[in-house]
């Protein structure tokens, strides 16, 4: 398959020029976990409500990250909330794997350096801007009033949960972003899926932010 929703989120979350993160890891990493769920839901592998995630089709999609998550859910066999799975799926390692995958595909460049000549740092500027340009075109069209497809809608919902929408699309209407994130424009089944993903991502991002604040304090 092509670029996943999680990878699209990453392209929006890193500055195309200098490759720096636009939001903190405590916001971005849980959002990536939400994006994994979103991809599985959009591809009819799982069904979501606010209170329950169920696997409806365990057939692999041909993507290592998605298939590993789907197999894990299918093997678990317990009724769990989507937010529980988001918290189990996300990690710094997931972000790194996805960034490396985008670099291997020639979409991003990996630039390593040191801050103050001591602390190692890695930036991820764009190598091929056409992929992000297509994502931005879809999102901008939806934010301007066009009905989004399910992939674009969940991407906007997850970006909103992570507070990335204000960084990546500063001119966008807050009311329009909220409308899309809540699925107000969509048919009932799609609306419920988008709202459930938005809610799960919000819970995970909030939890991660609280944890980060507690550990730094």
């Amino acid at each position: 398959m092509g670029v996943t929703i999680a990878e699209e989120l990453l392209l929006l979350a890193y500055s195309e020029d200098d490759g720096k993160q636009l939001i903190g890891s405590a916001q971005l990493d849980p959002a990536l976990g939400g994006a994994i769920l979103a991809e599985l839901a959009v591809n009819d592998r799982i069904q979501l409500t606010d209170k329950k995630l169920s696997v409806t089709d365990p057939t692999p999609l041909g993507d290592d990250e998605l298939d590993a998550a789907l197999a894990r859910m299918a093997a678990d066999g317990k009724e769990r909330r989507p937010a529980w799975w988001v918290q189990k799926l996300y990690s710094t390692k997931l972000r790194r794997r996805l960034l490396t995958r985008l670099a291997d595909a020639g979409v991003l460049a990996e630039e390593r350096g040191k801050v103050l000549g001591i602390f190692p740092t890695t930036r991820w500027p764009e190598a091929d801007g056409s992929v992000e340009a297509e994502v931005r075109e879809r999102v901008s069209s939806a934010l301007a009033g066009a009905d989004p497809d399910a992939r674009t809608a969940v991407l906007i919902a997850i970006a909103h949960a992570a507070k990335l929408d204000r960084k990546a699309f500063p001119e966008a209407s807050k009311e329009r972003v909220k409308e899309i994130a809540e699925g107000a424009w969509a048919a009932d089944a799609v609306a419920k899926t988008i709202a459930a993903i938005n809610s799960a991502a919000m819970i995970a991002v909030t939890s991660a932010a609280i944890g980060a604040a507690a550990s730094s304090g």
Side-chain angles (χ1 to χ4, degrees):
M1 62 189 303
V3 177
T4 63
I5 295 170
E7 289 167 326
E8 291 178 344
L9 187 74
L10 278 176
L11 292 177
L12 297 178
Y14 281 78
S15 167
E16 54 195 88
D17 298 321
D18 61 15
K20 291 182 178 179
Q21 276 182 222
L22 299 179
I23 57 175
S25 298
Q27 296 167 308
L28 179 55
D29 288 343
L32 292 174
I36 297 290
L37 285 197
E39 192 81 56
L40 294 173
V42 166
N43 283 281
D44 298 320
R45 294 306 192 268
I46 61 173
Q47 190 170 47
L48 300 172
T49 66
D50 281 343
K51 296 182 179 180
K52 182 181 177 183
L53 180 155
S54 55
V55 175
T56 54
D57 181 358
T59 307
L61 287 163
D63 178 279
D64 290 347
E65 297 293 344
L66 298 173
D67 292 345
L70 180 61
R72 188 174 173 186
M73 292 170 193
D76 181 66
K78 295 181 181 178
E79 186 173 308
R80 303 191 189 274
R81 293 175 182 265
W84 188 91
W85 276 112
V86 171
Q87 290 172 324
K88 288 295 179 185
L89 292 174
Y90 85 80
S91 67
T92 302
K93 289 180 179 178
L94 171 62
R95 170 163 44 91
R96 176 76 194 200
R97 288 196 303 269
L98 292 173
L99 286 166
T100 300
R101 200 160 78 170
L102 286 168
D104 289 344
V107 178
L108 297 179
E110 182 178 2
E111 295 182 355
R112 299 187 183 190
K114 290 186 177 180
V115 177
L116 303 175
I118 302 172
F119 305 104
T121 182
T122 306
R123 294 181 182 180
W124 304 88
E126 282 190 351
D128 176 3
S130 65
V131 181
E132 182 179 350
E134 187 275 332
V135 175
R136 284 186 167 275
E137 183 178 344
R138 281 172 28 226
V139 172
S140 296
S141 176
L143 293 176
D147 282 345
D149 59 18
R151 287 182 65 84
T152 305
V154 293
L155 176 61
I156 292 170
I158 294 164
H160 175 58
K163 297 182 172 59
L164 175 59
D165 55 314
R166 307 312 307 161
K167 298 280 189 180
F169 300 93
E171 305 301 321
S173 159
K174 293 181 180 178
E175 290 74 20
R176 178 58 176 163
V177 170
K178 185 177 180 183
E179 182 181 27
I180 293 172
E182 292 177 349
W185 53 275
D188 188 53
V190 176
K192 286 181 179 178
T193 297
I194 294 166
I197 290 167
N198 182 43
S199 173
M202 284 272 194
I203 291 169
V205 167
T206 302
S207 263
I210 292 171
S215 62
S216 64

